[in-house]
Amino acid sequence: MATPVNTVGHSLSAHFSDLSFVGTLASLSPNTVYTVKVDAVDKNGIVLAEAQTMQLTAPEIPIIEQAYSKLSNSITVEWAAVAGASSYLLTAQDGDSFIETIITSSPGTVTGLKASTVYKISIRSINAGGRSQPSPAKKAKTVLAAPILRASSPGYGNIVVSWRAVYMAVGFFVSIMRSDGLGSMLKENTTNTSLTFSSLDPGTLYTIKAHAWDASGIPGDDFTYNQRTRPHAPADIQVTFDSGAWRAIISCTPAEGASSYIMAAHSSTSELNCSTTSSSCTIPSLECGAEYSVSVIASNEAGSSIPTEAVTFKTVPCAPESVTVEEAEPGNLSVSWSNVDLSDYYVVFVKSDDGLEVHCNTSRTQCYFQSDCGFTYFISVFAYNRAGQSPLGDIFNHTTAPCCPSDFNPVFVSSDTVQIVWSPVRGAEMYETKAVDWSNELLCNDTATICTLSALQCNTQYNISVYSFSEIRGSNTSCATKHVATAPCSPEIISVSKETLSVISVHWLANNDEATYTVTAKGEAGMWDCTSSGNSCTLHNLPCGSLFSISAVASTEAGHSLPSYSVPLETAPCCPADLTVTQVTQSVTNISWSIGTGSKTYITTLESHKRQARCHTLQNSCLLGCITCGTNYTVSVKAISETGLISDCIYRRFSSSACCPAGVKLYRLDNNGIRIYWRTLEGSINYTTDLYGSKGNFTCTSSVAVSYCDVTEIPCGDVYTVVVSPVTDKGSKLTFCPKKIYSVTCSGSSVGMGK
């Protein structure tokens, strides 16, 4: 028996057979607490036992108001709330499969369903007492599945959207809008599985939504996809060339939506590029003299933009080549070079070794510079264009000719010798002094700034030049010339004739131009002279019976000549009264004589059949060398007066001494003696040998035709000086034969030469 608790209602009772262990009470009120009592009775109706419990009945059966699908995997159910229900059990059944879910209140959604499928939907209410019976089933169909989008941006202004066919779909709806909400939304309906949206903003993120609809026009699930358009090609390309680092800095206005940039530089010989996430990039290792074409591509996750319109720039030109430096004439330098591609103009720098620098700016391939003598110039050529200066090429040096001495002044130190002194000049390492007349040339080369030119021709006009010389440039032959005239030539007296006893006429060879001649006669009685511009003059009132010396001197504006040879007026010079011949060495003989009256100079001659020795002197003695020993000579002396008169005075014979022997050697004899041996070509000469030592002096003489002699009982242990000399006819020994030193030891038989 079941009796409601705390509620108005009637009790229900039921009888069960004795075989029943479970019984059901029907027609109870829903959501009601009942007191349930169970009695056990026998067949007589006597209660044998009883039990009692409290039980809540289930809530009422819910009624589904509507069931619909908004998503392809779920159905939403709406129902009226049931009193006492704490939750609800929703069931979606598709054939033999079903999906249940517990919901606390309406509406409720069953998920995990298949798209575009008809389901039977039922609901049960639940409380603590249990579940109600299922509600009447209601059919509902899930909507279409969402199309799975794929999108790409083939260009900066469009997006292509594609998808696969959706089951049971008859059409599709696609919309696109900027993800930042700006601008308007574009919508398209289509039955195709792809769609292209054009005229979009470059580099912009768009949100794309799409759903399919079925034959009833019911839309399916939405699918959302974000796609960015490709960036537009960057604008305002700027190229800055860094000539110092040989690189180009490329920049541009950032492109909307670009995440990276590729900047490329192309030339005819190379292709360089760089990648960057900023709008600036550096391309290194550029070549000189090249024209590069620069383009920029912007990229993002959608792809790359089209390349920008090419921007060209030029690198600095390469260093000029084939540089030549010429100095066509002193003071003018010409620098030329080959043309350089992409150059606008050139600058040539010329720096001298004193630090001064000049430059020339030209669009041609040649420059001219003023140069000074004696400098070394360092020359470099650069090419320029708008990009800057070319790299440094070869540095050329050019040394100009040394400067010319200009302050020299020739000074005569004698009639035929001129001395030239000048100041040092820049660049000169040596000087060449040259004196030139119409037929002869005299040269003097020296590093000093002084030069003496001798043996100049008298009465001659010379052009004297001082040239500077350097090892690099050679001689500077452009130096100025100075004109110098030498003194007149000494007159040559042709004849001296007596006009009367006291009048003398002198004739000479007039070999000078516009000269005045002075003739002088000197003697013990005095001096007389006469002057003439011709070739003769007359000396008056000369005393008779006297010895005169007559000479002539020429004078011009250039100076005075040396006196002419003196001519004796009356007598020839006297011959020497005495003459002595003495042999000094084996090859030198001294001849002396007494002074002869009127004699000025002497010529002494020794003459044999082999050779002649001669001496011309002002003295009364003379040394004659290079004579041969053992030879007969003829001796002659000529006395010469001041006027040139010659007297052949003395003739006599002289025989030179015999030759000193050679190859002198000493040999030890058995009896403590020494044998001295020598070598000679003359067999009829006697020789004497002298030995000088600290223990005594020894002498031995050889026989004729014998080339040795012996010294007996000579003390040993001493050093001896040995001289072997020929003996003259008079029995005297020569004193100029060579000496040799020998050491005589006391042991063995050795004789050693000292020196």
Side-chain angles (χ1 to χ4, degrees), residues 134-181:
S135 67
K138 199 173 188 69
K139 290 184 178 181
K141 184 179 181 181
T142 53
V143 298
L144 300 177
I148 305 302
L149 300 181
R150 289 178 298 176
S152 64
S153 176
Y156 64 84
N158 51 60
I159 292 177
V160 175
V161 185
S162 62
W163 56 90
R164 291 183 180 180
V166 177
Y167 176 66
M168 298 298 290
V170 297
F172 300 92
F173 170 81
V174 184
S175 67
I176 187 169
M177 187 176 183
R178 288 177 60 121
S179 298
D180 57 8

Side-chain angles (χ1 to χ4, degrees), residues 348-557:
V348 182
F349 294 91
V350 176
K351 187 175 184 179
S352 58
D353 50 13
D354 64 352
L356 182 64
E357 184 176 71
V358 295
H359 69 275
C360 162
N361 189 322
T362 180
S363 60
R364 304 190 177 201
T365 58
Q366 191 172 32
C367 263
Y368 298 94
F369 294 91
Q370 294 294 320
S371 61
D372 291 327
C373 57
F375 276 109
T376 296
Y377 292 92
F378 301 93
I379 301 166
S380 54
V381 183
F382 294 91
Y384 290 82
N385 59 16
R386 292 185 179 181
Q389 173 185 289
S390 69
L392 175 64
D394 294 332
I395 297 178
F396 297 85
N397 60 67
H398 177 80
T399 301
T400 55
C403 297
C404 290
S406 60
D407 59 347
F408 68 92
N409 187 30
V411 176
F412 281 95
V413 295
S414 67
S415 62
D416 64 348
T417 303
V418 65
Q419 187 178 74
I420 304 102
V421 181
W422 60 90
S423 300
V425 295
R426 187 174 55 245
E429 300 171 0
M430 183 179 288
Y431 300 92
E432 179 182 78
T433 307
K434 182 183 295 186
V436 180
D437 65 1
W438 64 276
S439 61
N440 297 308
E441 179 179 273
L442 296 175
L443 292 176
C444 168
N445 293 312
D446 204 335
T447 57
T449 57
I450 184 171
C451 179
T452 300
L453 295 174
S454 304
L456 298 178
Q457 296 292 328
C458 57
N459 191 43
T460 303
Q461 186 81 16
Y462 281 95
N463 296 325
I464 296 181
S465 303
V466 180
Y467 301 117
S468 52
F469 176 86
S470 69
E471 184 176 353
I472 296 177
R473 286 301 307 272
S475 180
N476 186 350
T477 58
S478 63
C479 299
T481 299
K482 291 189 177 182
H483 305 288
V484 173
T486 57
C489 297
S490 298
E492 181 183 352
I493 297 177
I494 299 174
S495 65
V496 177
S497 59
K498 293 181 180 180
E499 300 294 332
T500 63
L501 291 177
S502 60
V503 178
I504 302 298
S505 178
V506 181
H507 295 263
W508 59 86
L509 180 62
N511 52 1
N512 296 294
D513 300 327
E514 299 180 357
T516 299
Y517 298 90
T518 300
V519 176
T520 302
K522 295 180 181 179
E524 295 179 358
M527 182 176 67
W528 285 259
D529 60 46
C530 63
T531 302
S532 173
S533 59
N535 58 357
S536 65
C537 71
T538 301
L539 294 170
H540 297 274
N541 302 320
L542 292 177
C544 61
S546 299
L547 181 63
F548 287 95
S549 175
I550 299 176
S551 63
V553 174
S555 301
T556 63
E557 292 182 357

Side-chain angles (χ1 to χ4, degrees), residues 214-232:
D214 58 16
S216 301
I218 298 174
D221 286 349
D222 284 337
F223 189 92
T224 301
Y225 190 92
N226 289 327
Q227 174 65 43
R228 189 181 297 275
T229 52
R230 293 194 184 200
H232 197 284

Side-chain angles (χ1 to χ4, degrees), residues 15-16 18 37-50:
H15 296 272
F16 305 98
D18 57 356
K37 182 179 179 184
V38 178
D39 294 326
V41 296
D42 59 13
K43 61 183 181 178
N44 296 317
I46 297 171
V47 175
L48 298 177
E50 64 179 6

Side-chain angles (χ1 to χ4, degrees), residues 606-608 610-613 626-629 631-635 652-656:
L606 281 177
E607 188 172 3
S608 70
K610 295 181 180 179
R611 63 181 62 187
Q612 182 188 74
C626 298
I627 66 174
T628 55
C629 54
T631 304
N632 293 325
Y633 286 91
T634 299
V635 182
R652 60 175 292 183
R653 292 191 175 277
F654 163 73
S655 297
S656 61

Side-chain angles (χ1 to χ4, degrees), residues 72-274:
S72 62
N73 66 343
S74 67
I75 293 177
T76 300
V77 182
E78 295 181 5
W79 66 92
V82 175
S86 61
S87 60
Y88 302 88
L89 178 63
L90 290 178
T91 302
Q93 184 175 3
D94 172 25
D96 294 333
S97 66
F98 58 88
I99 295 175
E100 293 180 337
T101 185
I102 294 176
I103 304 298
T104 58
S105 62
S106 177
T109 302
V110 181
T111 61
L113 307 182
K114 295 184 290 186
S116 190
T117 303
V118 177
Y119 285 89
K120 290 180 180 181
I121 306 299
S122 63
I123 186 170
R124 297 170 184 256
S125 58
I126 302 172
N127 63 9
R131 300 178 182 179
S132 72
Q133 292 296 313
S135 67
K138 199 173 188 69
K139 290 184 178 181
K141 184 179 181 181
T142 53
V143 298
L144 300 177
I148 305 302
L149 300 181
R150 289 178 298 176
S152 64
S153 176
Y156 64 84
N158 51 60
I159 292 177
V160 175
V161 185
S162 62
W163 56 90
R164 291 183 180 180
V166 177
Y167 176 66
M168 298 298 290
V170 297
F172 300 92
F173 170 81
V174 184
S175 67
I176 187 169
M177 187 176 183
R178 288 177 60 121
S179 298
D180 57 8
L182 300 177
S184 59
M185 178 184 292
L186 300 178
K187 303 176 182 179
E188 292 287 344
N189 290 316
T190 181
T191 57
N192 297 324
T193 57
S194 64
L195 193 63
T196 299
F197 291 95
S198 302
S199 301
L200 303 180
D201 296 329
T204 303
L205 184 64
Y206 281 87
T207 299
I208 306 168
K209 289 186 177 182
H211 64 260
W213 71 81
D214 58 16
S216 301
I218 298 174
D221 286 349
D222 284 337
F223 189 92
T224 301
Y225 190 92
N226 289 327
Q227 174 65 43
R228 189 181 297 275
T229 52
R230 293 194 184 200
H232 197 284
D236 192 21
I237 308 301
Q238 300 291 330
V239 181
T240 302
F241 176 68
D242 184 352
S243 60
W246 286 92
R247 63 184 183 180
I249 301 172
I250 304 173
S251 61
C252 62
T253 301
E256 180 69 30
S259 59
S260 64
Y261 300 88
I262 297 177
M263 302 181 180
H266 305 265
S267 71
S268 59
T269 59
S270 65
E271 179 176 346
L272 304 171
N273 59 66
C274 63

Side-chain angles (χ1 to χ4, degrees), residues 664-668 672-676 689-700 711-724 738-746 750-755:
V664 177
K665 296 181 180 180
L666 271 65
Y667 297 93
R668 173 70 63 87
N672 292 328
I674 293 296
R675 172 167 290 179
I676 300 94
T689 302
D690 295 303
L691 286 82
Y692 305 97
S694 61
K695 297 181 180 181
N697 299 329
F698 302 89
T699 301
C700 67
V711 177
T712 60
E713 300 298 331
I714 184 170
C716 63
D718 200 358
V719 176
Y720 291 93
T721 300
V722 179
V723 180
V724 180
K739 300 176 181 180
K740 292 192 176 183
I741 298 175
Y742 292 89
S743 174
V744 180
T745 62
C746 292
S750 62
V751 176
M753 178 182 288
K755 61 180 180 177

